[in-house]
Amino acid sequence: MVDAVVDRFGALHCASNNAALGGGFHATHELDRERWDRCLAVSLTGVWLCLKYEVPAMLAAGGGSIVNISSIDGLAGVTHLTSYVASKFAVRGMTRSAALELGRRGIRVNSVHPGFIETPLLTKGLGIVDLPRIPVGSLRTRLAALDVPVVDGSDGVGNATVIVLPDVFTAYIDPDVLGAT
């Protein structure tokens, strides 16, 4: 993927890494190892693999900016989502470590922490198969019953990523701003 970008555009200057797979809604002690491993393989290792191959290309280009998409669950725990929460906390920590390593070398690394976004992954995980026939209020009610934060829209995540990503913003961005770290 990175090679294709460099071949086509000559260099890689920015990247946004968004990988997520829920482990299902299970109490911590009821979560099986296969779901745990699969969730971390996609949601954490997927982001790490992106970084692994993006960083050398950005170093060769003289610098860049990377935004890893974490989750509000990377800031605070939530019930019945142990593997997902663990993966998003880890993405946040990995992002901070990468930022410390790479900042002096011209690569900014930040993360954005959106709330739950109404997607098929989320709705299928809640057992809602045909969302257009289900009022949003019903989804919010199901989430509230599980102590899950309110659903927000994907436009906000895209806007936050666009704000954090460009070279115009060269200073450290406060973690409380837009849920970014």
Side-chain angles (χ1 to χ4, degrees):
M1 169 177 64
V2 171
D3 289 342
V5 169
V6 172
D7 289 346
R8 181 165 181 189
F9 299 103
L12 179 67
H13 297 286
C14 61
S16 176
N17 303 320
N18 186 14
L21 177 69
F25 291 93
H26 303 280
T28 301
H29 66 283
E30 294 172 351
L31 177 64
D32 64 62
R33 177 67 186 262
E34 183 180 331
R35 285 180 186 262
W36 170 270
D37 288 344
R38 182 151 185 220
C39 179
L40 269 67
V42 172
S43 302
L44 174 59
T45 305
V47 173
W48 170 75
L49 285 169
C50 289
L51 287 170
K52 178 178 177 55
Y53 293 101
E54 292 161 354
V55 168
M58 287 186 186
L59 289 171
S65 179
I66 298 170
V67 177
N68 294 325
I69 309 300
S70 178
S71 168
I72 194 170
D73 295 330
L75 303 173
V78 74
T79 63
H80 295 88
L81 293 172
T82 303
S83 58
Y84 182 79
V85 169
S87 72
K88 294 306 179 177
F89 261 91
V91 166
R92 180 178 181 215
M94 179 173 58
T95 299
R96 287 181 176 237
S97 292
L100 291 170
E101 290 172 18
L102 299 168
R104 292 188 174 116
R105 298 182 73 187
I107 300 174
R108 287 174 289 113
V109 186
N110 289 284
S111 57
V112 175
H113 303 269
F116 278 84
I117 299 170
E118 202 167 291
T119 64
L121 177 66
L122 176 65
T123 56
K124 285 181 184 176
L126 292 173
I128 300 171
V129 178
D130 191 1
L131 187 61
R133 294 188 293 167
I134 304 293
V136 173
S138 295
L139 178 57
R140 290 174 191 264
T141 301
R142 299 271 312 268
L143 290 170
L146 294 169
D147 295 327
V148 175
V150 177
V151 175
D152 63 11
S154 60
D155 287 349
V157 179
N159 293 339
T161 302
V162 168
I163 288 170
V164 175
L165 201 55
D167 288 336
V168 174
F169 297 94
T170 57
Y172 174 78
I173 295 176
D174 188 289
D176 293 328
V177 176
L178 300 174
T181 59

